[in-house]
Amino acid sequence: MDFSTDRPTFFINPDYRPMTGAAKPVIDPATLETVGAIAAAADGEIDAVLTAAAKAQAGWKKLDAKSRARHLHAVANAIEAADFTRCAELMVREMGKPYPEAIGEIANCAPIFRYYAEMARDEAGKIAGTTQAGSFQYARYEPYGTSVHIMPYNFPILLMCWTVAASLAAGNACVIKPAEATTLSTLDYIKVFRSLPQGLVSCLPGGAATAQALITSERTHAVAFTGSVAAGKAVAVACAERMKPCIIEAGGSDPLIISQHAPLDVAAAGSVTAAFHLTGQVCTSAERFFVVDAVHDRFVELFAEKTRALRIGNGLDKTEIGPLVSEAARAKVMRLVDDAVRSGAKAVTGGRIPPAHNVGWFYEPTILTGVTSDMAIVREECFGPVAAICRVENFDEAIGLANDSPFGLGASVFTTDLAEAHEAAERLEAGMVWVNNPLIDNDALPFGGWKASGLGRELGRQGLDAFRRSKMVIIDHKPAIQDWWYPYPDSWFREAGGRKHV
C-alpha cells in the first residue's frame, strides 16, 4: 500500500479497510513535509473491530497449546522473511528515528513470538500438593478475551510485539491502537499477522478518544499501555472503575551513577547511548547523572568529547541524533534546559537548536553541569537529548539522590567495585538496574517500573500472566461424604449453661 496517496485505513486481519473519518496529515519532524494521512476510528469501525475480535477469540481460546504455538512461530517466520525497508522508512519519516534503529527494531521482533509460543506451552498451570486424600487440586490459566494495546511512538513495533505476543500466547484476541505519530509504519508492519485466524489481530488508528472507547468498552477485557505518567494514571483509573486488569509502563527520569571506581572510557561511551539514544526519547533514557566528585571533571571531559562527535540530521542520512517527534516535545526540552541554566547550571555541550538544522524539531545533545536536585529538569521527565549532571561526594549520596524521585523505571551504574554493584542492585528503587551496560532487556526477564513509572510487567513469565487469569480446580475422583459437611456431629459441640455452642 502507498500510504502517501491512499485514503486512511484500519486493519482487521487479514484486510485493510478504508476509514470514514476526516483525514489528518502526518508531518515529517525533520523536514515538516507531509508523509501521508491518518484518521480517527468512527464508532462503526470500533464496533467492527470488536465484533471480529470476539468471534476470532472464541475459536482461538479453544486451540491446544501446540497449535497456538505453531501459529505464533508462523508469525515469527513472516517477520524473518519480510522486507521491512518501506516500513522502516515510514517510521523515520513519521517520528525521526535514525534508519538503523528503525530497521533494527522492526526486523528483530521474531524472538518474542518464539519465546511466548514455547512459554505458553510449558506454563499451562500448576498441580499443588493436595490438602485432602483422594483429591486432585490444581490451577489452570485462561485468557481474558480481547486485549487492548495502546502504543507509544518511540518503539511502536517492538513494544507492540512484546505485549501482543504474550496476549496471543495466552489465548486472547488483540486490538492495537498505535500512536498517532507512528500509525503508518504500524499499519505497514501489521501484515506479519496475516497467517493468524481472521479478525484475531486488528489495528485501529485514532487518538485519546479512540483509546478511551476501547478501554471503557464492555467487549474488551485487559489493557496494555505505554506512555506518559499522566495518561498512564488516567488509563489505570478507567480500568480500575471497571475492574479491568492493565499493564502500565509510564516512563521515568532514570538515574545514572558514575562511581569513583567506574571505568571512565566505558562509562563515557555508555552514557552517550544511555542519554542520547533516539534523541533521548526512550522511557529508560538516563536523564539524571550523579557523578562522584573524585572522577567528576574527567568523566565530564570524556563524556562531552564523545557527545560532540554525534551527527545531527535527518534519520534517513548518516546520523545518530534525529529530530524530536514534535514541536511540543522540543519546547518542553528547551523549557527545562533554559530553566536549569537560569538557576545556575552550565551547558557544556548543546543547549540550543543546531544552526544548521533550523527546519524541523532538532535540538543539540546537551550536557548540563552544576545541576542541583531541586531543579525542574531533575524533578520532571525531560524526554529529550539532555544529560543533567549532579556532582556528589560519594556513592552513598549518589544512591540517595537517585532514589529521591517520583519515578522508578530503570537505573544505571558504572563501577568495577563488586560490592558497589551489588549494593546498587539492592538499594536502587527501580524496576530494572543496569551495571556497566545500560538499556539492555531480556525476553525472559520482567520489564517495568516502580512508583509512578508503572503497574505490572511486560516480558518473562509475568508478561504472560498479565494476559491470563487463574482458576483453582478441585476434583475428587472418588466422591465421599466429608466429615466437615453439615450437619456437625454432636461431638463438635460443648455444653455451657445448658446451651450448646460450636
Side-chain angles (χ1 to χ4, degrees):
M1 298 185 68
D2 183 355
F3 292 104
S4 64
T5 56
D6 288 358
R7 64 187 297 182
T9 62
F10 68 110
F11 180 84
I12 300 179
N13 193 47
D15 300 318
Y16 291 96
R17 304 184 185 187
M19 300 184 77
T20 58
K24 175 183 177 180
V26 175
I27 305 300
D28 185 331
T31 65
L32 305 188
E33 297 173 350
T34 298
V35 179
I38 60 174
D43 290 346
E45 291 152 0
I46 296 173
D47 179 71
V49 162
L50 296 181
T51 298
K55 182 178 180 181
Q57 198 268 336
W60 181 248
K61 70 179 180 181
K62 295 177 182 178
L63 281 183
D64 61 275
K66 183 177 180 181
S67 296
R68 201 179 294 161
R70 185 178 68 250
H71 277 287
L72 294 184
H73 282 299
V75 172
N77 292 341
I79 293 170
E80 292 171 346
D83 179 358
F84 289 118
T85 302
R86 170 140 178 82
C87 184
E89 290 175 349
L90 278 170
M91 190 186 298
V92 174
R93 297 193 65 202
E94 284 183 294
M95 57 78 64
K97 176 178 293 194
Y99 181 83
E101 296 172 22
I103 195 68
E105 172 187 347
I106 63 183
N108 289 302
C109 294
I112 192 66
F113 288 94
R114 299 201 191 283
Y115 173 80
Y116 277 123
E118 298 308 318
M119 169 66 79
R121 287 214 305 157
D122 184 59
E123 295 285 352
K126 174 186 177 181
I127 299 174
T130 183
T131 60
Q132 192 169 284
S135 182
F136 179 44
Q137 303 177 353
Y138 66 99
R140 56 175 287 143
Y141 296 105
E142 299 181 7
Y144 283 108
T146 296
S147 59
V148 177
H149 304 257
I150 302 170
M151 294 293 99
Y153 67 82
N154 55 353
F155 294 98
I157 304 303
L158 179 66
L159 299 188
M160 178 261 288
C161 288
W162 282 6
T163 57
V164 167
S167 187
L168 289 172
N172 301 290
C174 297
V175 178
I176 300 154
K177 206 296 288 180
E180 289 185 280
T182 44
T183 294
L184 299 183
S185 53
T186 304
L187 281 169
D188 189 80
Y189 191 87
I190 213 77
K191 297 190 293 286
V192 301
F193 294 109
R194 277 179 162 162
S195 62
L196 295 176
Q198 182 176 349
L200 191 65
V201 174
S202 297
C203 183
L204 194 63
T210 303
Q212 182 179 28
L214 291 171
I215 292 167
T216 58
S217 172
E218 293 182 356
R219 292 189 286 170
T220 66
H221 311 95
V223 176
F225 168 86
T226 300
S228 69
V229 171
K233 288 180 178 179
V235 170
V237 168
C239 289
E241 288 176 343
R242 293 157 182 83
M243 300 296 283
K244 189 175 293 187
C246 60
I247 307 171
I248 307 293
E249 201 268 87
S253 179
D254 281 9
L256 190 152
I257 295 172
I258 305 295
S259 157
Q260 70 181 52
H261 304 293
L264 291 184
D265 286 346
V266 175
S271 294
V272 170
T273 295
F276 305 130
H277 183 61
L278 192 55
T279 318
Q281 298 171 116
V282 181
C283 296
T284 51
S285 286
E287 298 190 4
R288 300 178 294 131
F289 282 66
F290 301 100
V291 184
V292 172
D293 181 69
V295 297
H296 177 277
D297 293 350
R298 180 56 178 159
F299 169 76
V300 170
E301 180 184 354
L302 291 171
F303 187 21
E305 178 184 339
K306 293 182 182 298
T307 297
R308 294 189 186 103
L310 298 178
R311 293 163 291 189
I312 302 171
N314 190 314
L316 293 175
D317 299 328
K318 292 180 179 179
T319 182
E320 289 84 28
I321 305 294
L324 287 143
V325 72
S326 67
E327 183 178 16
R330 186 177 71 174
K332 179 182 180 182
V333 173
M334 293 172 65
R335 170 179 65 81
L336 290 172
V337 170
D338 292 346
D339 173 78
V341 171
R342 283 194 301 268
S343 300
K346 176 185 177 183
V348 176
T349 68
R352 63 177 186 171
I353 296 170
H357 298 282
N358 55 6
V359 174
W361 312 125
F362 293 94
Y363 195 76
E364 290 185 350
T366 300
I367 298 173
L368 299 175
T369 56
V371 174
T372 56
S373 59
D374 59 339
M375 293 181 182
I377 200 162
V378 174
R379 309 310 303 175
E380 299 180 30
E381 182 179 28
C382 181
F383 221 62
V386 181
I389 298 179
C390 300
R391 186 192 294 261
V392 296
E393 183 177 349
N394 52 43
F395 188 76
D396 189 68
E397 183 185 4
I399 293 283
L401 290 174
N403 288 340
D404 182 21
S405 172
F407 303 104
L409 187 56
S412 298
V413 177
F414 280 93
T415 182
T416 56
D417 185 292
L418 185 60
E420 286 183 341
H422 282 288
E423 187 175 355
E426 179 179 339
R427 293 177 58 192
L428 284 168
E429 297 173 358
M432 297 165 286
V433 175
W434 296 281
V435 179
N436 298 328
N437 195 358
L439 306 185
I440 296 297
D441 56 66
N442 184 324
D443 292 347
L445 295 176
F447 184 100
W450 290 12
K451 298 188 280 190
S453 288
L455 299 170
R457 291 293 181 269
E458 300 168 354
L459 302 182
R461 166 68 184 270
Q462 293 179 50
L464 178 63
D465 286 346
F467 293 101
R468 57 187 190 173
R469 47 193 167 186
S470 62
K471 178 185 289 181
M472 185 184 77
V473 180
I474 308 292
I475 299 176
D476 282 18
H477 52 278
K478 292 184 178 180
I481 295 174
Q482 304 297 320
D483 61 5
W484 57 273
W485 292 358
Y486 280 7
Y488 295 140
D490 288 345
S491 61
W492 284 24
F493 293 81
R494 62 185 177 86
E495 297 293 337
R499 299 177 64 187
K500 293 182 178 180
H501 300 271
V502 175

